Amino acid sequence: SDSSFRVLTECPLIVMLMFQLYPKVLRSNIPPLIKEMMEALALRAPPLKSISQGDKPLDSSGKRLYFSRRRELVAAQAKTLSFLTYLLRGFSNDLKLYEDRLAKNVVDLMSTCPREFISTRKELLVATRHLLNSDFRTGFFKHVDDLLDERLLMGSHHRFSEQTILRPLGYTTLSDFVHHVRPLLTMTQMSRVVSIFSRVLHDSSMKLPMSTQYTAVRTLLSVVEIVFHNKDRNPQVGRDILVRILKTLVDKLAALQNLYSEIEKGRKI
């Protein structure tokens, strides 16, 4: 059991309970525990090509075992990250030393999390939201381009049912990030933000709830002032982005009007 990632996955909850029962031991045990958890978050499974059975490459059963263990490792790390976010409020000074490493480990975990491991990715997104809404958000600022990649946040090639689960949380997390980092965005990055949330409003294939579309509208409106006062050498870049935002919102109103007309026709029939 000492070598089981599944056992390790259950440990953070047990440790949390022990700390609640014995608060006197918190102060002396938290700093070394944080150090161990940060080292655990930095671990990555070795490349499949580097693993062999003697002089031969892995057979099919060995490959299945490898991918199973890799998924279990990421799940244990996601639980560890959730436990770290639990410690944010009471032990922020101890965690502050690891601010940049914590952000980098979160981004790396999202990139290595298997795309079919939906529950783990959801847990990573929840933990990321907690970090973005704390003083530790600045560690993520250098990872803007990574976090503006939807494939990193929500994985790629998901089936429709999986999109329904991950996309609302993924876009809400991205909106939180944009809210904090928007004064630092270049016009190229701002254009990417507008493209993402404009598609959220108009891509009917996503089947997103209205709350996520409201989030998209708020995000687009929140960057208008930043774009208007941008310092880009080419003023046309900012104008084009503002026009795209305006067109997105006007087109959405037109789509809602058409939908309302269809509803009214249905009622008359």
Side-chain angles (χ1 to χ4, degrees), residues 175-194:
S175 177
D176 291 344
F177 179 63
V178 170
H179 174 75
H180 296 297
V181 80
R182 57 188 174 170
L184 307 175
L185 295 177
T186 65
M187 285 299 99
T188 300
Q189 293 166 337
M190 192 68 77
S191 177
R192 176 64 179 158
V193 169
V194 172

Side-chain angles (χ1 to χ4, degrees), residues 17-39:
L17 177 60
M18 295 297 290
F19 281 160
Q20 290 175 348
L21 294 174
Y22 304 101
K24 292 182 180 180
V25 304
L26 275 174
R27 187 66 264 172
S28 60
N29 285 280
I30 285 297
L33 181 60
I34 289 176
K35 182 179 179 181
E36 293 291 336
M37 289 192 291
M38 290 303 303
E39 291 178 358

Side-chain angles (χ1 to χ4, degrees), residues 113-175:
C113 180
R115 62 174 180 259
E116 71 275 7
F117 221 23
I118 304 302
S119 59
T120 298
R121 186 173 291 277
K122 184 177 181 180
E123 196 161 11
L124 289 174
L125 287 171
V126 171
T128 302
R129 286 199 71 191
H130 283 299
L131 292 170
L132 291 176
N133 289 303
S134 71
D135 294 335
F136 290 82
R137 69 177 70 94
T138 54
F140 289 89
F141 288 0
K142 63 182 67 175
H143 302 286
V144 171
D145 291 324
D146 293 321
L147 292 173
L148 289 179
D149 186 348
E150 296 160 275
R151 294 172 298 178
L152 178 81
L153 288 174
M154 291 162 274
S156 58
H157 308 300
H158 286 302
R159 296 187 298 274
F160 173 74
S161 60
E162 295 164 341
Q163 292 173 352
T164 304
I165 296 171
L166 285 174
R167 277 179 164 164
L169 179 58
Y171 287 122
T172 302
T173 303
L174 181 57
S175 177

Side-chain angles (χ1 to χ4, degrees), residues 144-145 148 174 177-198 218-232 237-242 244-245:
V144 171
D145 291 324
L148 289 179
L174 181 57
F177 179 63
V178 170
H179 174 75
H180 296 297
V181 80
R182 57 188 174 170
L184 307 175
L185 295 177
T186 65
M187 285 299 99
T188 300
Q189 293 166 337
M190 192 68 77
S191 177
R192 176 64 179 158
V193 169
V194 172
S195 176
I196 291 171
F197 287 99
S198 296
R218 287 195 299 269
T219 305
L220 291 173
L221 293 177
S222 72
V223 301
V224 168
E225 192 73 14
I226 304 295
V227 175
F228 182 78
H229 293 289
N230 81 87
K231 304 299 182 182
D232 195 276
V237 174
R239 294 192 193 104
D240 289 343
I241 293 176
L242 290 174
R244 286 165 55 195
I245 294 174

